[in-house]
Amino acid sequence: MFRRKLMIIKVANPIYDSVFKYLMEDERIAKTILSALLKKEVVSVKIRRNEYSNGTRNNISMFRIDFGAQIRQDDGSVRLILIELQKTWLETETLRFRQYLGAQYANPENMVHDEMRPPYGLPMVAVYILGHKVGNIDVPVLYVNHKTYDYDGNEVTEGLPDPFVDSLIHSSIIVQIPLLHGQINNRLDKVLSVFDQNNKEKDNQHVMELNEDLYTGDADMEYILHRLLMASTDAQLRQDMNVEDEYFKAIEDRDTAIMSRDKTIKEQDGKIKEQDGKIKEQDGKIKEQNAQLTQKNAQLTQKDAQLSKLKQKLREQGLSDEDIEKLMSK
């Protein structure tokens, strides 16, 4: 039986910040990825001013892009929302995410001005693309959406969505890249499959080996593959990936050194605790010996008192001290 050979295409790995930026700065690709994540049609999308914020090379923690997106609602209307997309390789502290979101809430540029009512904030969706797992959550994509309830716990839907409410809360989408396992069951699975690190080339993590047949006939996915293919031939992007590798290697070396130091400290603490235990044990024995000596001293004192009384009685009977000593020495 004849089997057609798989059409494997080698493209740049979008887990790298430089390649991810190269993807997301293309409006068509940004619309494709965000539409799949939001499960709604993104009519248009624009990158906002503080794009590509990732600090200095000495302090990379997250890669961030802010989007203003026109989203088509279920009733056909179009709504403007703010999308905060943050990608990280490392297990970044939650505080850093919160600080960045807080800055977006406070940014006057994220407010909508309407003559009929006071200014209100744009509805916001936070998207986290993580290169690590979150606790024991075993699903690759997690949707965290808010609902509104009255005092008795009944869900409130009348009058919602409302700009005031939407200004103060946001929904989140969390993608755990390590849990992508190659199975394509829906549109989002297909879009995220280009991030699946199981497809890395064995000897070069800069390169992904993707089955081109899985995307044949899907114009948007073919477009993504074409852009990733162009990224793989871009000398500057390849250099940027090398720089990222060097940075994260330095991070790993630092963490290894810290773990080694912590292990040494823990071992030393264990030895100190063991020595403390021995010292306490010796202190206990000394205290026990002191108690025994105290008891013996008390017994001797009691005997001395008894001898003194006996000598006194013998004197009262007319015996001399010399006779008493002779008597007691027998």
Side-chain angles (χ1 to χ4, degrees), residues 30-199:
K31 286 170 59 177
T32 299
I33 293 176
L34 294 176
S35 293
L37 285 166
L38 296 170
K39 295 187 286 188
K40 291 181 180 292
E41 179 191 355
V42 177
V43 179
S44 65
V45 62
K46 290 184 179 179
I47 296 176
R48 294 167 69 85
R49 276 203 308 175
N50 55 339
E51 58 187 271
Y52 317 140
S53 173
N54 63 358
T56 67
R57 281 292 168 190
N58 293 325
N59 189 32
I60 296 178
S61 60
M62 295 179 293
F63 181 82
R64 303 185 288 249
I65 313 179
D66 304 337
F67 296 97
Q70 295 280 355
I71 308 298
R72 191 174 304 283
Q73 303 300 301
D74 294 338
D75 61 3
S77 63
V78 175
R79 187 185 191 196
L80 176 65
I81 69 170
L82 180 66
I83 300 174
E84 306 295 338
L85 190 152
Q86 305 185 44
K87 182 181 75 68
T88 177
W89 285 31
L90 306 176
E91 294 193 34
T92 309
E93 308 96 290
T94 307
L95 177 60
R96 296 191 183 186
F97 289 127
R98 288 173 61 89
Q99 287 172 335
Y100 183 64
L101 287 171
Q104 298 313 301
Y105 272 112
N107 189 347
E109 295 184 5
N110 295 333
M111 302 296 290
V112 176
H113 296 270
D114 189 333
E115 294 181 359
M116 304 300 294
R117 62 190 305 167
Y120 56 89
L122 285 172
M124 182 164 59
V125 177
V127 179
Y128 304 101
I129 299 179
L130 307 180
H132 59 86
K133 293 176 60 178
V134 178
N136 295 319
I137 300 173
D138 61 357
V139 294
V141 183
L142 189 67
Y143 287 85
V144 184
N145 297 316
H146 64 269
K147 290 187 177 182
T148 309
Y149 301 91
D150 63 17
Y151 178 80
D152 296 318
N154 301 310
E155 185 176 353
V156 176
T157 58
E158 185 68 28
L160 296 174
D162 177 80
F164 178 82
V165 176
D166 290 342
S167 296
L168 302 175
I169 54 177
H170 68 272
S171 298
S172 298
I173 303 172
I174 301 171
V175 179
Q176 301 184 82
I177 289 177
L179 295 182
L180 300 175
H181 297 307
Q183 295 183 352
I184 298 178
N185 300 313
N186 53 52
R187 180 61 177 170
L188 181 58
D189 287 344
K190 180 181 282 191
V191 170
L192 293 179
S193 65
V194 300
F195 293 91
D196 188 346
Q197 296 303 292
N198 293 305
N199 296 322

Side-chain angles (χ1 to χ4, degrees), residues 23-37:
L23 272 184
M24 298 305 291
E25 67 186 4
D26 183 286
E27 182 179 358
R28 178 176 177 180
I29 293 176
K31 286 170 59 177
T32 299
I33 293 176
L34 294 176
S35 293
L37 285 166

Side-chain angles (χ1 to χ4, degrees), residues 149-296:
Y149 301 91
D150 63 17
Y151 178 80
D152 296 318
N154 301 310
E155 185 176 353
V156 176
T157 58
E158 185 68 28
L160 296 174
D162 177 80
F164 178 82
V165 176
D166 290 342
S167 296
L168 302 175
I169 54 177
H170 68 272
S171 298
S172 298
I173 303 172
I174 301 171
V175 179
Q176 301 184 82
I177 289 177
L179 295 182
L180 300 175
H181 297 307
Q183 295 183 352
I184 298 178
N185 300 313
N186 53 52
R187 180 61 177 170
L188 181 58
D189 287 344
K190 180 181 282 191
V191 170
L192 293 179
S193 65
V194 300
F195 293 91
D196 188 346
Q197 296 303 292
N198 293 305
N199 296 322
K200 283 188 301 188
E201 191 175 73
K202 184 178 180 180
D203 299 320
N204 184 3
Q205 63 181 1
H206 293 181
V207 176
M208 302 284 280
E209 296 181 327
L210 301 177
N211 180 2
E212 193 174 11
D213 291 343
L214 295 176
Y215 310 101
T216 301
D218 187 328
D220 289 330
M221 292 306 301
E222 289 178 345
Y223 186 80
I224 290 177
L225 259 61
H226 176 69
R227 191 159 178 85
L228 286 175
L229 182 61
M230 289 196 301
S232 68
T233 62
D234 188 296
Q236 184 59 53
L237 287 178
R238 291 201 302 271
Q239 177 59 28
D240 289 343
M241 284 191 279
N242 287 329
V243 171
E244 288 184 53
D245 281 339
E246 291 173 3
Y247 170 77
F248 287 108
K249 178 63 166 58
I251 291 291
E252 289 175 358
D253 291 345
R254 182 203 65 185
D255 290 346
T256 300
I258 291 173
M259 290 173 63
S260 177
R261 183 200 63 190
D262 290 345
K263 182 181 179 182
T264 301
I265 292 174
K266 188 175 181 180
E267 290 175 352
Q268 291 175 344
D269 286 343
K271 291 179 180 178
I272 291 172
K273 287 180 180 178
E274 184 179 353
Q275 291 173 349
D276 287 343
K278 291 180 179 178
I279 291 171
K280 287 180 180 179
E281 184 179 352
Q282 291 173 351
D283 287 344
K285 291 180 179 179
I286 291 171
K287 287 180 180 178
E288 184 179 353
Q289 290 172 353
N290 288 336
Q292 291 174 354
L293 288 174
T294 300
Q295 185 178 4
K296 288 180 179 179

